Amino acid sequence: MDGVTLLSDYKPYPYEIEKISLVFQLTPEATKVRATLAMTPRDGVADLHLDGEDLKLLHVALNGAPLAAEAYTLTTTGLTIPASALPEGAFELQTEVEIAPAKNTALEGLYMSNGMYCTQCEAEGFRKITFYPDRPDVMTRFHVRIESDLPVLLSNGNPVGQGAGFAEWDDPWPKPAYLFALVAGDLRATSGSFTTASGRKVDLNIWVRPGDEDRCDFALASLQRSMKWDEEAYGREYDLDLFNIVAVDDFNMGAMENKGLNIFNSKLVLASPETATDTDYERIEAVIAHEYFHNWTGNRITCRDWFQLCLKEGLTVYRDQSFTRDVRLGALKRIDDVAMLRARQFREDAGPLAHPPRPSSYREINNFYTATVYEKGAEVVGMLATLLGAEGYRKALDLYFDRHDGQACTIEDWIKVFEDASGRDLSQFKLWYTQAGTPHLSVSEQFENGTYTLTFEQVTAPTPGEPEKPPRHIPIAVGLLGQNGDEVVPTQVLEMTKGRQSFTFTGLAAKPVPSILRGFSAPVVLERETTPAEQAFLLAHDTDPFNRWEAGRNLARDTLMAMAQGATPAPDYLEAVGQMLADGAVTPGFRAACLRLPGEDEIAAALAKKDVVPDPDAIRAARRDLMATLAQRHEAALVAAYEGSAVPGPYSPDAEPAGKRALRLAALALLSTLDQGSRASALYAEASNMTESIGALGLLVAQGAGQAELAAFAARWGADPLVMDKWRSVQAMLTPPESAVEVVTAIAESGAFEWKKPNRFRSLLGGFAANHAGFHRADGAGYVLFADWLIKLDPLNPQTAARMSTAFETWRRYDATRQAHAKAALERIAGTQGLSRDLSEMVGRLLG
């Protein structure tokens, strides 16, 4: 297929590269890059192809002798030297190119961010720096010399030389080119150290722009906690003398795990109580952990090709989720992870963008950095851990590190490790990696003569290119509760391997209440006919924290679905919320999670699954009506929760005070429907931390109020771009839908909106995409606005434009009028002259 890369076409690169030496002479408009590659043919001489894009070739030589122009072929995608021009044995290839970092608005390769040089090479950015086989299975040692008058010059590995106007770095560990990094600028370091389990001292630095040094302490402490946890949980010790993190203002991603030199989006490093929310602190800690954990699961062991991306990302997400659970959130972490999975990955699986964690083909690899690769990839690892148990999982991971250290691996290598460590056949389980779609698990029950039987049936709907779906291996964690709430059967993991399968429990005195899919043991949709009374019972009594939350979530979702179709609030749900509020044994964080209603998009998806065409305006009205009803019914309890959750003293991002603030804001969200925002206005005025400040501001905006507070916020924080991102996002996301398009347009057209910077663009347009009824406005104005901005951004930053286009992925679920407007917007994007490959592929898939 033209322009399509196929997994089945994989062939090893015909040359080994023993080492690459790079020399950078940095200038904004004409940086020169000299590369020397020590190469050896694997199985005889073959044509040598090196990837390269947007490079001005100045010189090419073989073993020091310049090559004439007729001795090689230069195209827009690379440099090829025919086998006839190459020696039979080892040789050195030298190239010199010129690039213009200041003109690199795509932020791939070497670019500039406010006077700082920085790189982003994953997935295929290194080819925009020099000619090289830019693929993850080509691993070699890098030696780098940087020449510049800037004060800080950084690269991978350990420093080996420094003088006036230069610095040299050497990385002793072989790595693929996507892990190369370079940073040069006027930076300041917040420094510390970590002593490894074997007694080695590792120097740690968080590098930021002058003036940001006072917002780095939490990031440094998070790194130290990550290093300690990885030693204890996985036995992995850091392997260099130095670990650097650099905060960059302009970055397409969250962060990048480059060996020894992690480059981070500044919003995931900088934090102070006045500028960062509890969620920001949690996210900073998790992402710093994620990128550090990549040192072993991604760097020391990498992926053979980009089809295996979930091998490093899914595993590392599972590791960072486990870290956050252990050091911060406990059971609440699982609730947060599943809520995100359903909101992002289940939505992906149900639409035109569905794909397996390991796809079999792609047109543009940047478009496969998705929730399926990351979050679903983590769920698949979690299922393996469930099936093998903690001891078996650790045994398999130890074998993985021992067997594959220094290699570029595949999903087959990964599965084989688990089979060899456990003695089990996991060939059926592998379908989780190769099939798209979310299995739907229906369940029926029978009780007779003390025997209780659960019968499960699994069905996965067709997805693009996959009409048939054989059964998968599904671990189903189940516990049984007695009618008094006691647990009569503790958690057992049932292994479903057939399309239909029954499991029995004997010796029971009475029919139990089942708690199914405990801990969300598999990423499936559970379909079971139940009653509101049973869900309320589980919310009150289930010993599994996730399923207890799930019961309340199910009650809320079913109530909202019915209300969106004209019903009144369900009494069982209203009563259950009151009982939960009164339960003093429940932590504030858990109560906050239970008080937060399902989002409008979640209700729309649930209605569409029932073959009901969702009405965004009716869903929004139902959600607001239910919030008001809850507030009226439980006003006294909510006031008590709000007032009793105030956290005195200095701010701390730790889980306990953060949980209290979450409960305070969750209660305030309901109370604001009664007092028209008076409490929120008072909280905004007295707030001493960003969590409560921006939380109160958002509630005012949602009430159609808060203009004075918005102006005061902008006056105070106008010079801080990261804080102003919150200001933009709150308005875009929470402004009532009838005026959201106009508010977003006004912000976008203001001179202060730096739309070329990814963080600014995402804060406004990403926030607007989350404004369900505003984005899906019946007159199509939301679709027009969004399409206009994607078309505008695409020529400068196609990667960000393509990722943002997923806002359209659910357009077919709505009424004919909205579908027509959305289709017209997508077709207008598709018809734009010069559209990038990134955005073109995404829009083509969205149009189906």
Side-chain angles (χ1 to χ4, degrees):
M1 293 183 286
D2 184 41
V4 175
T5 302
L6 301 176
L7 172 61
S8 58
D9 286 346
Y10 172 82
K11 293 179 181 178
Y13 192 66
Y15 289 87
E16 292 184 4
I17 303 178
E18 180 183 345
K19 186 176 183 179
I20 178 173
S21 296
L22 294 167
V23 178
F24 289 83
Q25 296 175 327
L26 297 179
T27 62
E29 304 293 337
T31 287
K32 290 183 172 58
V33 184
R34 295 198 303 273
T36 302
L37 283 67
M39 310 187 75
T40 305
R42 290 181 182 272
D43 297 305
V45 181
D47 289 350
L48 174 64
H49 177 75
L50 305 175
D51 299 304
E53 294 180 10
D54 303 326
L55 306 175
K56 180 180 178 181
L57 180 62
L58 303 179
H59 177 74
V60 57
L62 195 62
N63 290 331
L67 285 181
E70 58 269 19
Y72 58 86
T73 301
L74 184 64
T75 69
T76 58
T77 60
L79 173 70
T80 301
I81 302 174
S84 58
L86 295 168
E88 292 186 1
F91 60 89
E92 280 194 348
L93 178 71
Q94 300 91 24
T95 62
E96 184 174 12
V97 302
E98 183 179 285
I99 56 178
K103 296 179 181 178
N104 183 354
T105 62
L107 312 185
E108 295 178 281
L110 178 66
Y111 65 94
M112 299 197 73
S113 172
N114 295 338
M116 179 198 306
Y117 293 87
C118 53
T119 56
Q120 171 54 35
C121 293
E122 188 177 356
E124 296 177 339
F126 193 73
R127 65 189 62 193
K128 296 186 176 183
I129 294 175
T130 189
F131 289 104
Y132 191 80
D134 192 7
R135 42 190 286 173
D137 61 336
V138 177
M139 303 173 69
T140 192
R141 292 180 295 113
F142 280 67
H143 183 94
V144 179
R145 178 183 172 93
I146 308 168
E147 298 177 1
S148 171
D149 58 2
L150 289 167
V152 176
L153 307 174
L154 306 173
S155 192
N156 309 87
N158 296 316
V160 293
Q162 185 175 350
F166 83 94
E168 291 192 15
W169 294 79
D170 190 82
D171 189 347
W173 301 102
K175 65 174 180 285
Y178 82 85
L179 292 172
F180 169 78
L182 179 152
V183 172
D186 182 11
L187 300 169
R188 303 291 184 271
T190 296
S191 301
S193 65
F194 180 81
T195 301
T196 68
S198 65
R200 289 189 306 107
K201 181 186 175 185
V202 179
D203 293 324
L204 310 176
N205 295 305
I206 310 291
W207 294 94
V208 297
R209 295 187 183 281
D212 286 334
E213 301 96 316
D214 61 343
R215 292 196 276 174
C216 298
D217 289 344
F218 184 78
L220 180 61
S222 297
L223 176 58
Q224 292 164 330
R225 284 191 292 273
S226 304
M227 298 175 81
K228 184 175 187 295
W229 184 89
D230 208 23
E231 289 185 345
E232 294 172 349
Y234 281 82
R236 297 299 101 193
E237 186 174 300
Y238 187 60
D239 53 6
L240 291 170
D241 301 328
L242 178 67
F243 192 93
N244 286 317
I245 289 176
V246 180
V248 175
D249 293 335
D250 303 309
F251 206 64
N252 283 337
M253 300 183 180
M256 181 61 208
E257 70 265 21
N258 317 298
K259 184 72 176 181
L261 177 57
N262 286 188
I263 298 179
F264 270 63
N265 191 313
S266 57
K267 70 178 182 178
L268 293 170
V269 171
L270 305 178
S272 69
E274 298 78 18
T275 62
T277 65
D278 293 333
T279 300
D280 291 332
Y281 276 97
E282 179 190 331
R283 185 70 175 143
I284 287 168
E285 183 178 58
V287 176
I288 282 178
H290 179 95
E291 306 306 337
Y292 173 74
F293 296 156
H294 264 313
N295 186 66
W296 278 91
T297 52
N299 296 3
R300 288 284 288 258
I301 304 176
T302 192
C303 47
R304 187 195 70 178
D305 50 66
W306 291 120
F307 295 101
Q308 323 293 331
L309 180 60
C310 68
L311 176 61
K312 75 180 184 78
E313 294 299 348
L315 174 56
T316 306
V317 169
Y318 178 74
R319 276 155 50 73
D320 81 57
Q321 290 175 348
S322 301
F323 166 77
T324 301
R325 178 198 65 210
D326 289 351
V327 305
R328 179 169 292 271
L329 292 182
L332 283 176
K333 176 58 176 170
R334 189 59 182 148
I335 292 171
D336 290 347
D337 290 340
V338 174
M340 178 179 289
L341 179 81
R342 288 170 170 167
R344 297 179 59 214
Q345 199 281 320
F346 278 22
R347 167 173 156 155
E348 196 167 83
D349 254 349
L353 302 182
H355 64 89
R358 186 181 71 179
S360 59
S361 66
Y362 63 79
R363 289 183 181 273
E364 173 51 63
I365 186 55
N366 284 326
N367 289 337
F368 277 92
Y369 283 75
T370 64
T372 296
V373 166
Y374 282 72
E375 279 75 28
K376 188 170 184 175
E379 293 295 319
V380 178
V381 176
M383 285 189 287
L384 285 169
T386 297
L387 289 170
L388 270 67
E391 184 177 341
Y393 174 75
R394 177 60 187 266
K395 181 180 177 183
L397 265 292
D398 287 344
L399 178 59
Y400 179 63
F401 294 127
D402 290 343
R403 179 181 289 177
H404 294 296
D405 187 13
Q407 298 179 14
C409 296
T410 65
I411 293 301
E412 284 73 19
D413 296 325
W414 168 251
I415 292 292
K416 186 69 163 58
V417 159
F418 279 83
E419 290 182 328
D420 290 350
S422 67
R424 302 185 59 169
D425 179 0
L426 296 173
S427 55
Q428 183 183 13
F429 184 86
K430 184 184 167 186
L431 292 173
W432 282 104
Y433 283 107
T434 59
Q435 277 189 9
T438 302
H440 285 232
L441 198 64
S442 60
V443 56
S444 59
E445 59 185 318
Q446 183 179 6
F447 181 74
E448 186 175 356
N449 298 326
T451 298
Y452 181 67
T453 302
L454 287 172
T455 299
F456 296 92
E457 186 171 355
Q458 59 167 302
V459 176
T460 305
T463 54
E466 294 182 12
E468 298 295 330
K469 307 281 188 178
R472 299 190 203 178
H473 187 171
I474 303 176
I476 308 169
V478 173
L480 302 180
L481 302 176
Q483 295 297 324
N484 62 353
D486 292 341
E487 190 166 76
V488 295
V489 174
T491 303
Q492 298 182 12
V493 177
L494 313 177
E495 296 192 32
M496 186 178 187
T497 57
K498 301 175 182 177
R500 181 181 174 87
Q501 200 165 346
S502 297
F503 302 89
T504 59
F505 304 84
T506 59
L508 300 172
K511 182 181 178 181
V513 177
S515 172
I516 303 173
L517 211 66
R518 284 186 156 184
F520 201 65
S521 58
V524 301
V525 174
L526 182 64
E527 297 174 342
R528 175 173 174 261
E529 292 296 329
T530 186
T531 64
E534 182 177 310
Q535 295 289 355
F537 174 86
L538 291 170
L539 176 58
H541 299 292
D542 204 330
T543 55
D544 179 71
F546 174 83
N547 270 12
R548 189 175 187 185
W549 169 83
E550 179 84 312
R553 189 77 165 189
N554 289 340
L555 273 173
R557 186 185 62 245
D558 293 345
T559 298
L560 284 168
M561 290 171 63
M563 291 178 68
Q565 298 175 82
T568 56
D572 292 282
Y573 174 65
L574 300 177
E575 181 63 27
V577 171
Q579 292 177 356
M580 184 272 301
L581 277 170
D583 188 349
V586 177
T587 66
F590 187 83
R591 276 189 282 173
C594 291
L595 279 181
R596 287 191 288 267
L597 297 181
E600 294 171 28
D601 185 76
E602 181 178 339
I603 303 306
L607 287 168
K609 193 172 71 174
K610 297 289 187 181
D611 294 325
V612 176
V613 176
D615 180 344
D617 297 319
I619 292 171
R620 182 175 186 273
R623 197 171 184 275
R624 291 180 63 81
D625 289 347
L626 183 55
M627 291 176 70
T629 302
L630 286 167
Q632 292 164 0
R633 180 77 171 265
H634 304 297
E635 183 175 5
L638 289 168
V639 169
Y642 172 69
E643 294 177 348
S645 298
V647 182
Y651 173 87
S652 167
D654 291 346
E656 183 177 348
K660 290 181 178 180
R661 284 187 290 270
L663 176 59
R664 195 174 199 215
L665 288 171
L668 182 60
L670 299 178
L671 291 170
S672 293
T673 64
L674 302 183
D675 64 16
Q676 288 74 52
S678 62
R679 287 185 183 85
S681 182
L683 178 61
Y684 178 82
E686 68 185 28
S688 61
N689 59 79
M690 182 54 69
T691 300
E692 292 185 340
S693 179
I694 200 69
L697 186 63
L699 293 176
L700 289 169
V701 170
Q703 292 294 323
Q707 293 307 306
E709 288 83 359
L710 284 167
F713 191 98
R716 179 179 181 185
W717 297 111
D720 190 315
L722 291 177
V723 177
M724 288 302 291
D725 283 343
K726 304 179 195 299
W727 181 85
R728 278 181 287 271
S729 184
V730 156
Q731 293 179 78
M733 187 184 305
L734 298 175
T735 294
E738 58 272 14
S739 55
V741 169
E742 290 71 24
V743 167
V744 171
T745 299
I747 295 173
E749 292 177 351
S750 72
F753 181 51
E754 299 176 291
W755 61 272
K756 297 177 184 179
K757 296 181 177 295
N759 284 353
R760 309 295 89 81
F761 192 91
R762 285 188 290 255
S763 70
L764 185 63
L765 277 301
F768 177 63
N771 188 330
H772 183 256
F775 179 73
H776 295 290
R777 210 165 80 175
D779 64 0
Y783 304 142
V784 171
L785 172 68
F786 211 83
D788 287 346
W789 278 102
L790 291 182
I791 291 169
K792 187 173 183 177
L793 181 66
D794 184 59
L796 299 179
N797 191 328
Q799 190 177 127
T800 298
R803 288 176 180 167
M804 295 289 287
S805 71
T806 59
F808 282 101
E809 68 183 322
T810 61
W811 68 275
R812 292 184 186 273
R813 71 161 67 133
Y814 299 99
D815 58 83
T817 299
R818 285 182 170 87
Q819 285 192 38
H821 287 312
K823 185 177 181 182
L826 287 167
E827 288 178 339
R828 182 160 61 89
I829 298 171
T832 301
Q833 187 173 3
L835 201 67
S836 71
R837 185 175 64 179
D838 305 60
L839 186 54
S840 177
E841 180 194 13
M842 292 297 288
V843 172
R845 292 167 65 194
L846 288 165
L847 285 168

